[in-house]
């Protein structure tokens, strides 16, 4: 099973670890594309027009330190992606506390989207950075469009043959890779809905913070259970076996299987 996750804005300090080595990243076929984005990001962040750089990266005046950090990316210390990303999803996933077998499964199966790197594995060493997928960089353009062109062969290859894909990416990250044909039929996307009662009527809505936390717990549960579904239908069945309330929204021939996870206890 391949599990696709979004990155997080929250990132840990890499400390004094090794510097970035592009030849050591997973999916090495992406390295030329990564170098182009890195060059553009460093140039923008180190340039004289701080206001334009902050606007391009969606940074407030109080976040100007992110520009200084971006400007030094090529010399920056690195940490494994599994320790670098610290957002809500990754807190709920809590990789460090997983049993050893589940950690090994996570490193084999998880692929993290990134506006800077395209996609990385948990063990890939990268420096802390700020480069949202919604950014537009000089000589690169909109990152969502850029990575949509570059990622398809790499992610198709990572998906392999026959095994299901659990796509938990959000927003523009999901737009950077779209499964086609047979691969679409073995892909499951998940939306988390919170159900509450309003005037005696059940109402379901998306709650961003708990959406991320629920997805983190979902991946954790799958890893601890040692789940090895062979098809998208088996993956959906596994979610139900793990006591998730699943409502299927799609899954006809040639299309991605879409499911809602309905939670009542936040």
């Amino acid at each position: 099973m391949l599990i696709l996750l979004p990155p997080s804005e929250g990132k840990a300090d890499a400390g004094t670890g090794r510097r970035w080595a592009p030849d050591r990243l997973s999916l090495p076929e992406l390295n030329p594309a990564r170098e182009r984005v890195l060059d553009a990001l460093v140039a923008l962040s180190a340039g004289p027009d701080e206001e334009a750089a902050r606007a391009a990266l969606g940074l407030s005046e109080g976040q100007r330190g992110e520009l200084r950090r971006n400007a030094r990316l090529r010399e920056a210390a690195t940490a494994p992606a599994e320790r670098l990303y610290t957002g809500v999803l990754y807190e709920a996933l809590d990789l460090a506390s997983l049993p050893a077998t589940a950690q090994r499964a996570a490193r084999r199966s998880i692929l993290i989207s990134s506006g800077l790197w395209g996609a990385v594995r948990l063990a890939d060493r990268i420096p802390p950075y700020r480069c949202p997928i919604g950014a537009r960089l000089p000589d690169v353009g909109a990152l969502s469009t850029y990575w949509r062109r570059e990622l398809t062969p790499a992610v198709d290859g990572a998906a392999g043959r026959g095994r299901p894909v659990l796509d938990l990416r959000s927003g523009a990250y999901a737009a950077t890779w779209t499964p086609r044909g047979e691969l679409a039929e073995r892909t499951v996307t998940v939306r988390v809905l919170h159900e509450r009662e309003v005037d005696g009527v059940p109402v379901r809505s998306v709650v961003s913070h708990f959406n991320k936390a629920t997805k983190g717990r979902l991946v954790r549960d799958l890893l601890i259970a040692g789940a090895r579904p062979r098809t998208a239908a088996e993956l959906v069945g596994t979610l139900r076996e793990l006591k998730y309330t699943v409502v299927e929204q799609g899954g006809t021939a040639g299309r991605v299987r879409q499911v809602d996870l309905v939670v009542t206890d936040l």
Side-chain angles (χ1 to χ4, degrees):
M1 176 170 55
L2 178 67
I3 302 173
L4 303 178
L5 296 182
S8 68
E9 284 191 9
K11 298 178 182 70
D13 187 343
T16 57
R18 294 197 303 267
R19 292 182 180 178
W20 179 58
D23 58 330
R24 294 179 180 173
L25 293 183
S26 302
L27 307 181
E29 62 270 38
L30 292 177
N31 283 346
R34 289 165 172 156
E35 289 280 2
R36 186 178 175 193
V37 177
L38 181 60
D39 284 343
L41 180 63
V42 169
L44 175 70
S45 300
D49 193 341
E50 179 188 293
E51 186 174 346
R54 286 195 288 104
L57 299 176
L59 300 175
S60 68
E61 187 172 354
Q63 294 175 305
R64 60 179 60 180
E66 298 283 358
L67 294 180
R68 293 191 293 271
R69 184 164 68 176
N70 279 352
R72 299 191 296 267
L73 278 173
R74 288 194 176 277
E75 295 77 39
T78 61
E82 63 191 68
R83 289 200 288 108
L84 194 76
Y85 293 111
T86 60
V88 172
L89 187 155
Y90 294 91
E91 288 179 355
L93 175 52
D94 195 9
L95 284 159
S97 71
L98 287 173
T101 54
Q103 289 189 20
R104 289 193 293 271
R107 294 181 186 116
R108 289 194 304 268
S109 60
I110 291 175
L111 195 63
I112 304 171
S113 293
S114 168
L116 176 52
W117 315 111
V120 294
R121 296 282 191 183
L122 290 174
D124 287 338
R125 298 188 67 94
I126 54 177
Y129 64 96
R130 186 62 172 262
C131 187
I133 195 66
R136 295 184 64 91
L137 300 182
D139 302 320
V140 171
L143 286 177
S144 57
T145 302
Y146 177 82
W147 284 118
R148 192 178 305 130
R149 294 193 302 266
E150 302 290 343
L151 275 175
T152 296
V155 180
D156 284 0
R161 292 185 176 275
R163 58 180 180 159
V165 177
L166 177 59
D167 189 352
L168 300 177
R169 297 171 301 160
S170 54
Y173 289 102
T176 61
W177 175 76
T178 302
R180 305 289 183 189
E182 179 270 339
L183 188 50
E185 294 184 22
R186 52 187 169 95
T187 298
V188 177
T189 63
V190 173
R191 181 176 63 165
V192 178
L193 298 180
H194 175 218
E195 183 174 277
R196 67 193 192 283
E197 202 169 276
V198 179
D199 296 329
V201 178
V203 175
R204 294 173 180 175
S205 60
V206 175
V207 184
S208 178
H209 178 90
F210 296 103
N211 169 58
K212 296 174 183 177
T214 300
K215 288 180 176 179
R217 289 193 295 270
L218 167 63
V219 175
R220 182 180 179 85
D221 289 344
L222 287 168
L223 292 169
I224 290 175
R228 301 184 68 179
R230 293 168 296 178
T231 65
E234 284 189 13
L235 174 53
V236 173
T238 300
L239 298 181
R240 291 194 170 106
E241 290 172 7
L242 291 171
K243 308 304 181 185
Y244 286 93
T245 300
V246 178
V247 179
E248 295 194 57
Q249 300 297 328
T252 57
R255 297 184 61 184
V256 171
R257 187 180 296 260
Q258 301 172 331
V259 302
D260 289 340
L261 293 187
V262 181
V263 295
T264 56
D265 182 10
L266 297 182

